[in-house]
Amino acid sequence: MTFLTEREEKTLIKIADTLLPELPTADAHLMAGALSMDVPELLVESLETVTSSQQQRSLKLFLRLIEIPLVNGITAQRWRSFSAMSLPDRAHILRIWSDSPLELMRRAFQGVKRITLFLAYSKSPNPTWGRFDFNGPPGAQTSEPGVIRPMPISGPTTLQTGVLIVGSGAGGGVIAGELSAAGYEVIVIEKGAHHDDMDFHGQELESNRDLFENSGALTTADVSMAVLAGSTLGGGTTINWMTSLRPPDFVLEEWERDFGFSGVTSAEYQRSLDAVCERLNVNSAESVANPQNSALERGCKALGYDVSVLPRNVKGCEECGFCNFGCPFGSKQSTLKTYLQDAYERGARIIVRGHVDRVIHQGGTVTGALASVEDADGHQHEVTIRAKAVIVSAGSIHTPALLMRSGLQNRNIGENLHLHPVTTATGEYTDPILPWQGAPQSRMLNQYIDLDGRGYGYRIETPAAQPGIIAATLPWRSGEQHHELMGYIHHFASFIVLTRDFHGGRVRIDKDGKPVLHYQLHPQDAHHMMHGLLEAFRIQVAAGARILYSPHAKYLTHQVNGQRGVEKFLATVEREGLRPNAYALFSAHQMSSCRIGGDVRRGAVKPDGETYEINNLFVADASVFPTASGVNPMLTIMGTAHFLAQQIKAKLG
Ligand SMILES: Cc1cc2nc3c(=O)[nH]c(=O)nc-3n(C[C@H](O)[C@H](O)[C@H](O)COP(=O)(O)OP(=O)(O)OC[C@H]3O[C@@H](n4cnc5c(N)ncnc54)[C@H](O)[C@@H]3O)c2cc1C
């Protein structure tokens, strides 16, 4: 039983068949269509699990509307139901929805298009991969289990501890390591499962399902931004790209000056960053540029820009390029390999598949938390953990949701959500690029980090890329056009524009207590992003790209032939603008939804990490940032958690 009626499901299958039809061609690779690849079954199953009830209602409406001849007649001059149309007419209808001036129509189209094409190109084995020389991931490299053995839970349980840490990512991992080193009794509870070197096979579809928040399909409420976050033991540090940047001084100064985050500009804070860098083996010696990063470097240098080499937390990188699905070689120095493992070896208990539903408190002091833990057979058990202190490190999406579910009222909780919105400028090169191979991120342009005199602008970097995410991102005008474009992706280099957003969104909870992300790119931030997009294209041209592809749904492309033509193309891109659900938009950095402030008006959390409302209830993750860090945030989160850990120790005695 799915949330779709039989009729709606049939329409959905027709859409999948339109997005990716069987093509009558002699080329065996081109023959593969959604139906022969069993995409509809996967699609129905995925939509059932990854979409919110609100999104399901919108999808059902879309599926019903396109079967009404009058609707198709008025919107697209095709007076038939969608399922009764020829393939070209069905493609026409989908283009009408894709390009509609009505955001709700674009949203409906994008919601189905992205997930269908992602599933089609990420599933393995895959008849399409040979077309673009994708040899698949490296597969598991070891049969050695990791050091950590999570605590088994097989029935209703009550536990007692000194400190309970909720979430095991960048923030939670460091807190666990630091507090266990100081002799505190520690339990870490993580809602994701435990995956380690031997489990990391690099398959795109399964890795998204097993290691990412909402199977990698989380979006903002209006579907306009894909929101990527880790949900596995080690959190984001297990699946991230290892870029390890210290926070810029001007950001730390802003945090202390404007928000009262006292101590963040101190030498002690810098010592916390040093300690983390040392434990993570942050180094630049292993930041070898793959062809995508070489293109960025070449283009920047040709334009006279300085380009920096990105330090990474890695030891013995094999440059397989599949870092975002967990490192099968054990080279990534995630919290799993460092702080969490240290804590475990000192006796910390680690519970996985444990979702903390509520923090409990009495008389203004925390007393523990209530969780539901899933055992190996899929049965849920209620677990009560009594603790003298609770540190919430559930990340910027879940930390505010958990605090709200626990009855906290501070008005900063869930506000000021910053996402470092990202879009892409893609160039096609004569030589193969194979964007999925090698260290994904090793070069960066810092030229435009301050466009407004307040420290807001963008950086240009490169992304990790596999066929599923590329297929979901590329513009779709017809099955033939998308098929054809996919045939060149091994020659594509993409540059990402990472925007430091000044204006934030908010996290709210739905009736079931689940977080919902409300975020719209503010015109000022959009202005910076557009500046970055145009600049990224200029860098592509300077690096030798021969065709440019904008991130727009409308398929704006340009064959490079002289600078005048390029500037004309850029003017078209600029005119197209950045309307929600009309271009590709991502976030891999969620921040500041429970920010630190020097007083209750400015922050949800005090400068020592304790909440303003409940004694001994602390927050230590990206949500405490007063504003967006401007740089990839892992190191800032870990340094901040390390710094807060020293104060938590002082407070707990
Ligand atoms: C694909 C990708 C690539 C990235 N690359 C980089 C990079 O190269 N460099 C960089 O600096 N940053 C990178 N980042 C960002 C960085 O990894 C994150 O910003 C960072 O991990 C966030 O740390 P955190 O402690 O706030 O939360 P997380 O690391 O997300 O940890 C939160 C954990 O809490 C768990 N949790 C949530 N709710 C509950 C609950 N109720 N009960 C129990 N557990 C719960 C989650 O499952 C999760 O594991 C990347 C992110 C992604 C997604």
Side-chain angles (χ1 to χ4, degrees), residues 166-172 189-192 212-213 228-232 234-237 239-243 324 354-356 393-396 398 402 405 441 588-589 621-622 632-635 637:
V166 183
S168 63
I189 182 162
E190 163 59 52
K191 81 177 168 69
F212 282 69
E213 189 66 41
L228 299 170
S231 186
T232 177
T237 73
I239 51 85
N240 76 18
W241 306 343
M242 296 183 282
T243 295
N324 52 327
H355 182 272
V356 174
S393 302
S396 302
H398 286 282
L402 174 55
R405 288 198 300 270
Q441 249 176 12
H589 304 162
D621 57 22
N632 311 49
M634 176 185 70
L635 209 56
I637 301 164

Short mmCIF file of all heavy atoms in Angstrom, two decimals, residues 166-172 189-192 212-213 228-232 234-237 239-243 324 354-356 393-396 398 402 405 441 588-589 621-622 632-635 637, ligand 1:
data_model
loop_
_atom_site.label_atom_id
_atom_site.label_comp_id
_atom_site.label_asym_id
_atom_site.label_seq_id
_atom_site.Cartn_x
_atom_site.Cartn_y
_atom_site.Cartn_z
N VAL A 166 24.07 13.72 22.50
CA VAL A 166 23.10 13.35 21.46
C VAL A 166 23.69 13.73 20.10
O VAL A 166 23.84 14.91 19.80
CB VAL A 166 21.76 14.08 21.67
CG1 VAL A 166 20.74 13.62 20.63
CG2 VAL A 166 21.24 13.86 23.08
N GLY A 167 24.02 12.73 19.29
CA GLY A 167 24.63 12.99 17.97
C GLY A 167 26.13 12.79 18.04
O GLY A 167 26.78 13.14 19.04
N SER A 168 26.69 12.21 16.97
CA SER A 168 28.10 11.78 17.02
C SER A 168 28.93 12.42 15.91
O SER A 168 29.94 11.87 15.51
CB SER A 168 28.14 10.26 16.86
OG SER A 168 27.62 9.90 15.59
N GLY A 169 28.45 13.57 15.38
CA GLY A 169 29.16 14.18 14.25
C GLY A 169 30.32 15.06 14.68
O GLY A 169 31.01 14.77 15.68
N ALA A 170 30.53 16.14 13.93
CA ALA A 170 31.68 17.01 14.18
C ALA A 170 31.66 17.54 15.62
O ALA A 170 32.68 17.51 16.32
CB ALA A 170 31.66 18.16 13.18
N GLY A 171 30.50 18.01 16.07
CA GLY A 171 30.41 18.55 17.43
C GLY A 171 30.41 17.45 18.47
O GLY A 171 31.23 17.44 19.40
N GLY A 172 29.49 16.49 18.34
CA GLY A 172 29.32 15.44 19.35
C GLY A 172 30.56 14.59 19.53
O GLY A 172 30.93 14.21 20.66
N ILE A 189 24.66 8.88 21.98
CA ILE A 189 23.55 8.22 21.27
C ILE A 189 23.37 8.86 19.90
O ILE A 189 23.33 10.08 19.77
CB ILE A 189 22.24 8.23 22.11
CG1 ILE A 189 21.13 7.50 21.35
CG2 ILE A 189 21.80 9.63 22.51
CD1 ILE A 189 19.96 7.08 22.23
N GLU A 190 23.30 8.02 18.87
CA GLU A 190 23.28 8.48 17.47
C GLU A 190 22.12 7.80 16.75
O GLU A 190 21.95 6.59 16.84
CB GLU A 190 24.63 8.09 16.82
CG GLU A 190 24.66 8.10 15.31
CD GLU A 190 24.32 9.46 14.68
OE1 GLU A 190 24.92 10.46 15.06
OE2 GLU A 190 23.42 9.48 13.81
N LYS A 191 21.35 8.60 16.02
CA LYS A 191 20.18 7.99 15.36
C LYS A 191 20.54 7.19 14.11
O LYS A 191 19.81 6.31 13.68
CB LYS A 191 19.12 9.04 15.07
CG LYS A 191 19.31 9.89 13.84
CD LYS A 191 18.11 10.81 13.68
CE LYS A 191 18.37 11.87 12.64
NZ LYS A 191 18.45 11.39 11.27
N GLY A 192 21.69 7.50 13.51
CA GLY A 192 22.12 6.71 12.35
C GLY A 192 22.72 5.38 12.81
O GLY A 192 22.90 5.13 14.00
N PHE A 212 23.02 9.05 4.77
CA PHE A 212 22.59 10.45 4.71
C PHE A 212 21.23 10.66 5.38
O PHE A 212 20.39 9.76 5.41
CB PHE A 212 22.50 10.94 3.26
CG PHE A 212 23.84 11.27 2.65
CD1 PHE A 212 24.77 10.27 2.38
CD2 PHE A 212 24.20 12.57 2.36
CE1 PHE A 212 26.01 10.56 1.83
CE2 PHE A 212 25.43 12.89 1.82
CZ PHE A 212 26.34 11.88 1.55
N GLU A 213 21.06 11.88 5.85
CA GLU A 213 19.78 12.32 6.37
C GLU A 213 18.72 12.14 5.28
O GLU A 213 18.95 12.53 4.13
CB GLU A 213 19.95 13.81 6.73
CG GLU A 213 18.82 14.43 7.47
CD GLU A 213 18.62 13.87 8.87
OE1 GLU A 213 19.60 13.63 9.57
OE2 GLU A 213 17.46 13.65 9.24
N LEU A 228 21.99 18.36 2.03
CA LEU A 228 22.75 17.13 2.29
C LEU A 228 23.34 17.18 3.69
O LEU A 228 23.96 18.17 4.08
CB LEU A 228 23.88 17.00 1.27
CG LEU A 228 23.43 16.90 -0.19
CD1 LEU A 228 24.61 17.03 -1.13
CD2 LEU A 228 22.69 15.60 -0.44
N ALA A 229 23.15 16.09 4.44
CA ALA A 229 23.74 16.00 5.79
C ALA A 229 23.93 14.53 6.11
O ALA A 229 23.14 13.68 5.69
CB ALA A 229 22.81 16.65 6.82
N GLY A 230 24.97 14.23 6.87
CA GLY A 230 25.23 12.85 7.24
C GLY A 230 24.32 12.40 8.36
O GLY A 230 23.94 13.19 9.23
N SER A 231 23.93 11.11 8.34
CA SER A 231 23.22 10.54 9.48
C SER A 231 23.69 9.10 9.63
O SER A 231 23.08 8.15 9.14
CB SER A 231 21.70 10.61 9.28
OG SER A 231 21.07 10.18 10.46
N THR A 232 24.78 8.98 10.33
CA THR A 232 25.43 7.69 10.55
C THR A 232 26.40 7.92 11.70
O THR A 232 26.61 9.09 12.08
CB THR A 232 26.18 7.25 9.27
OG1 THR A 232 26.87 6.02 9.51
CG2 THR A 232 27.21 8.28 8.79
N GLY A 234 29.40 9.09 13.42
CA GLY A 234 30.39 10.04 12.89
C GLY A 234 29.73 11.22 12.20
O GLY A 234 30.40 12.19 11.83
N GLY A 235 28.40 11.13 11.97
CA GLY A 235 27.65 12.25 11.35
C GLY A 235 28.27 12.68 10.04
O GLY A 235 28.77 11.86 9.25
N GLY A 236 28.28 13.98 9.82
CA GLY A 236 28.81 14.55 8.58
C GLY A 236 30.28 14.22 8.37
O GLY A 236 30.75 14.15 7.23
N THR A 237 31.02 13.99 9.43
CA THR A 237 32.47 13.77 9.26
C THR A 237 32.77 12.44 8.58
O THR A 237 33.84 12.24 8.04
CB THR A 237 33.24 13.83 10.60
OG1 THR A 237 32.96 12.66 11.37
CG2 THR A 237 32.88 15.07 11.40
N ILE A 239 30.99 11.25 6.02
CA ILE A 239 30.69 11.30 4.57
C ILE A 239 31.17 12.59 3.91
O ILE A 239 30.88 12.82 2.75
CB ILE A 239 29.17 11.12 4.31
CG1 ILE A 239 28.31 12.07 5.16
CG2 ILE A 239 28.75 9.68 4.60
CD1 ILE A 239 28.09 13.41 4.65
N ASN A 240 31.88 13.43 4.64
CA ASN A 240 32.19 14.71 4.00
C ASN A 240 33.47 14.65 3.16
O ASN A 240 34.11 13.60 3.04
CB ASN A 240 32.14 15.87 4.99
CG ASN A 240 33.33 15.94 5.90
OD1 ASN A 240 34.37 15.35 5.64
ND2 ASN A 240 33.19 16.66 6.99
N TRP A 241 33.83 15.78 2.58
CA TRP A 241 34.90 15.81 1.57
C TRP A 241 36.25 16.19 2.17
O TRP A 241 37.20 16.43 1.42
CB TRP A 241 34.51 16.77 0.44
CG TRP A 241 33.18 16.47 -0.18
CD1 TRP A 241 32.48 15.30 -0.08
CD2 TRP A 241 32.38 17.33 -0.99
NE1 TRP A 241 31.29 15.38 -0.76
CE2 TRP A 241 31.21 16.63 -1.34
CE3 TRP A 241 32.54 18.63 -1.46
CZ2 TRP A 241 30.20 17.17 -2.13
CZ3 TRP A 241 31.53 19.18 -2.25
CH2 TRP A 241 30.38 18.45 -2.57
N MET A 242 36.28 16.37 3.50
CA MET A 242 37.53 16.52 4.25
C MET A 242 38.19 17.90 4.15
O MET A 242 39.30 18.07 4.66
CB MET A 242 38.55 15.45 3.86
CG MET A 242 38.09 14.07 4.22
SD MET A 242 39.32 12.82 3.85
CE MET A 242 39.14 12.63 2.11
N THR A 243 37.57 18.84 3.51
CA THR A 243 38.16 20.18 3.48
C THR A 243 38.20 20.70 4.91
O THR A 243 37.19 20.69 5.61
CB THR A 243 37.30 21.10 2.59
OG1 THR A 243 37.40 20.59 1.27
CG2 THR A 243 37.77 22.54 2.64
N ASN A 324 32.56 10.87 -0.22
CA ASN A 324 31.22 11.22 0.28
C ASN A 324 30.36 10.01 0.60
O ASN A 324 29.24 10.16 1.04
CB ASN A 324 30.48 12.18 -0.66
CG ASN A 324 30.44 11.70 -2.08
OD1 ASN A 324 31.38 11.05 -2.53
ND2 ASN A 324 29.39 12.02 -2.79
N GLY A 354 19.59 5.14 17.62
CA GLY A 354 18.86 5.62 18.79
C GLY A 354 18.43 7.06 18.58
O GLY A 354 19.26 7.97 18.57
N HIS A 355 17.15 7.24 18.40
CA HIS A 355 16.61 8.59 18.16
C HIS A 355 16.16 9.20 19.49
O HIS A 355 15.27 8.64 20.16
CB HIS A 355 15.44 8.51 17.18
CG HIS A 355 14.88 9.85 16.85
ND1 HIS A 355 13.89 10.46 17.58
CD2 HIS A 355 15.21 10.72 15.86
CE1 HIS A 355 13.62 11.65 17.06
NE2 HIS A 355 14.40 11.83 16.01
N VAL A 356 16.78 10.30 19.86
CA VAL A 356 16.34 10.97 21.10
C VAL A 356 15.09 11.78 20.78
O VAL A 356 15.11 12.67 19.93
CB VAL A 356 17.47 11.85 21.68
CG1 VAL A 356 16.95 12.65 22.87
CG2 VAL A 356 18.65 10.98 22.09
N SER A 393 24.14 17.60 20.25
CA SER A 393 25.01 17.81 19.08
C SER A 393 24.37 17.12 17.88
O SER A 393 25.02 16.38 17.15
CB SER A 393 26.40 17.22 19.34
OG SER A 393 26.99 17.79 20.47
N ALA A 394 23.09 17.36 17.71
CA ALA A 394 22.32 16.65 16.69
C ALA A 394 22.34 17.37 15.34
O ALA A 394 21.64 16.98 14.41
CB ALA A 394 20.89 16.44 17.17
N GLY A 395 23.17 18.42 15.22
CA GLY A 395 23.27 19.16 13.96
C GLY A 395 22.20 20.24 13.86
O GLY A 395 21.23 20.26 14.63
N SER A 396 22.37 21.15 12.91
CA SER A 396 21.53 22.35 12.87
C SER A 396 20.10 22.10 12.42
O SER A 396 19.26 22.99 12.52
CB SER A 396 22.18 23.39 11.95
OG SER A 396 23.46 23.68 12.42
N HIS A 398 18.42 19.06 13.45
CA HIS A 398 17.74 18.32 14.52
C HIS A 398 17.90 18.92 15.91
O HIS A 398 17.06 18.68 16.77
CB HIS A 398 18.22 16.87 14.52
CG HIS A 398 17.64 16.08 13.39
ND1 HIS A 398 16.35 15.60 13.41
CD2 HIS A 398 18.16 15.73 12.19
CE1 HIS A 398 16.10 14.98 12.27
NE2 HIS A 398 17.18 15.04 11.51
N LEU A 402 14.81 19.05 18.48
CA LEU A 402 14.82 18.33 19.76
C LEU A 402 14.55 19.29 20.92
O LEU A 402 13.77 18.97 21.83
CB LEU A 402 16.18 17.61 19.93
CG LEU A 402 16.43 16.92 21.26
CD1 LEU A 402 15.33 15.91 21.59
CD2 LEU A 402 17.79 16.21 21.25
N ARG A 405 10.89 20.11 20.88
CA ARG A 405 10.08 18.99 21.38
C ARG A 405 10.20 18.85 22.90
O ARG A 405 9.33 18.32 23.55
CB ARG A 405 10.55 17.66 20.74
CG ARG A 405 10.20 17.49 19.28
CD ARG A 405 10.30 16.02 18.86
NE ARG A 405 11.62 15.45 19.03
CZ ARG A 405 12.60 15.45 18.13
NH1 ARG A 405 12.39 16.01 16.96
NH2 ARG A 405 13.76 14.89 18.38
N GLN A 441 37.83 17.89 -3.38
CA GLN A 441 38.02 19.33 -3.16
C GLN A 441 39.45 19.58 -2.74
O GLN A 441 39.87 19.14 -1.66
CB GLN A 441 37.12 19.79 -2.01
CG GLN A 441 36.01 20.65 -2.43
CD GLN A 441 35.05 21.02 -1.30
OE1 GLN A 441 35.30 20.82 -0.12
NE2 GLN A 441 33.93 21.58 -1.70
N ALA A 588 25.25 21.82 1.81
CA ALA A 588 25.87 20.73 2.58
C ALA A 588 26.31 21.26 3.94
O ALA A 588 26.93 20.54 4.71
CB ALA A 588 27.05 20.14 1.82
N HIS A 589 26.01 22.54 4.21
CA HIS A 589 26.46 23.18 5.45
C HIS A 589 25.28 23.83 6.15
O HIS A 589 24.86 24.92 5.76
CB HIS A 589 27.50 24.27 5.16
CG HIS A 589 28.69 23.80 4.38
ND1 HIS A 589 29.54 24.65 3.72
CD2 HIS A 589 29.19 22.55 4.16
CE1 HIS A 589 30.50 23.96 3.13
NE2 HIS A 589 30.31 22.68 3.37
N ASP A 621 27.41 22.03 18.39
CA ASP A 621 27.46 21.61 16.98
C ASP A 621 27.37 22.88 16.13
O ASP A 621 27.46 23.99 16.67
CB ASP A 621 26.34 20.60 16.64
CG ASP A 621 24.94 21.14 16.95
OD1 ASP A 621 24.77 22.37 17.01
OD2 ASP A 621 24.01 20.33 17.11
N ALA A 622 27.14 22.73 14.84
CA ALA A 622 27.12 23.92 13.96
C ALA A 622 25.98 24.87 14.30
O ALA A 622 26.01 26.04 13.90
CB ALA A 622 27.00 23.47 12.51
N ASN A 632 33.96 26.19 4.70
CA ASN A 632 33.43 24.85 4.98
C ASN A 632 33.58 24.64 6.49
O ASN A 632 34.66 24.82 7.05
CB ASN A 632 34.23 23.82 4.19
CG ASN A 632 34.36 24.22 2.74
OD1 ASN A 632 34.73 25.36 2.44
ND2 ASN A 632 34.03 23.33 1.84
N PRO A 633 32.49 24.26 7.17
CA PRO A 633 32.44 24.50 8.62
C PRO A 633 33.02 23.43 9.55
O PRO A 633 33.11 23.66 10.75
CB PRO A 633 30.94 24.62 8.87
CG PRO A 633 30.32 23.76 7.83
CD PRO A 633 31.20 23.84 6.63
N MET A 634 33.40 22.27 9.03
CA MET A 634 33.75 21.17 9.95
C MET A 634 34.76 21.57 11.02
O MET A 634 34.55 21.33 12.21
CB MET A 634 34.28 19.98 9.16
CG MET A 634 34.74 18.85 10.08
SD MET A 634 35.49 17.50 9.17
CE MET A 634 37.01 18.26 8.61
N LEU A 635 35.85 22.18 10.60
CA LEU A 635 36.91 22.51 11.56
C LEU A 635 36.43 23.56 12.57
O LEU A 635 36.78 23.50 13.75
CB LEU A 635 38.14 23.02 10.80
CG LEU A 635 39.47 22.75 11.46
CD1 LEU A 635 39.67 21.29 11.75
CD2 LEU A 635 40.60 23.25 10.55
N ILE A 637 33.37 23.88 13.59
CA ILE A 637 32.47 23.18 14.53
C ILE A 637 33.31 22.43 15.56
O ILE A 637 33.07 22.49 16.77
CB ILE A 637 31.57 22.17 13.78
CG1 ILE A 637 30.73 22.85 12.72
CG2 ILE A 637 30.70 21.41 14.76
CD1 ILE A 637 30.11 21.90 11.69
C1 LIG B 1 28.33 15.76 1.32
C2 LIG B 1 28.94 16.66 2.34
C3 LIG B 1 30.24 17.10 2.20
C4 LIG B 1 30.80 17.96 3.13
N1 LIG B 1 32.10 18.32 3.02
C5 LIG B 1 32.67 19.10 3.96
C6 LIG B 1 34.04 19.42 3.90
O1 LIG B 1 34.76 18.95 3.02
N2 LIG B 1 34.55 20.25 4.84
C7 LIG B 1 33.77 20.81 5.82
O2 LIG B 1 34.28 21.61 6.60
N3 LIG B 1 32.47 20.49 5.91
C8 LIG B 1 31.91 19.63 5.04
N4 LIG B 1 30.61 19.26 5.15
C9 LIG B 1 29.85 19.79 6.28
C10 LIG B 1 30.18 19.13 7.62
O3 LIG B 1 30.39 17.75 7.47
C11 LIG B 1 29.03 19.39 8.58
O4 LIG B 1 28.85 20.79 8.64
C12 LIG B 1 29.29 18.86 9.97
O5 LIG B 1 29.45 17.48 9.98
C13 LIG B 1 28.14 19.25 10.90
O6 LIG B 1 28.51 18.90 12.20
P1 LIG B 1 27.42 18.85 13.35
O7 LIG B 1 28.08 18.35 14.57
O8 LIG B 1 26.71 20.15 13.40
O9 LIG B 1 26.34 17.79 12.83
P2 LIG B 1 26.53 16.38 12.15
O10 LIG B 1 27.93 16.08 11.83
O11 LIG B 1 25.52 16.35 11.06
O12 LIG B 1 26.08 15.37 13.30
C14 LIG B 1 24.78 15.33 13.82
C15 LIG B 1 24.44 13.87 14.11
O13 LIG B 1 23.34 13.84 15.01
C16 LIG B 1 22.49 12.77 14.65
N5 LIG B 1 21.15 13.08 15.18
C17 LIG B 1 20.29 14.01 14.73
N6 LIG B 1 19.16 14.02 15.48
C18 LIG B 1 19.31 13.07 16.41
C19 LIG B 1 18.48 12.59 17.45
N7 LIG B 1 17.26 13.14 17.71
N8 LIG B 1 18.91 11.55 18.23
C20 LIG B 1 20.15 11.02 18.00
N9 LIG B 1 20.98 11.43 17.01
C21 LIG B 1 20.58 12.46 16.23
C22 LIG B 1 22.57 12.75 13.14
O14 LIG B 1 22.18 11.49 12.65
C23 LIG B 1 24.03 13.10 12.87
O15 LIG B 1 24.82 11.94 12.75
C24 LIG B 1 30.03 18.40 4.24
C25 LIG B 1 28.73 17.95 4.40
C26 LIG B 1 28.18 17.08 3.46
C27 LIG B 1 26.79 16.62 3.66
#
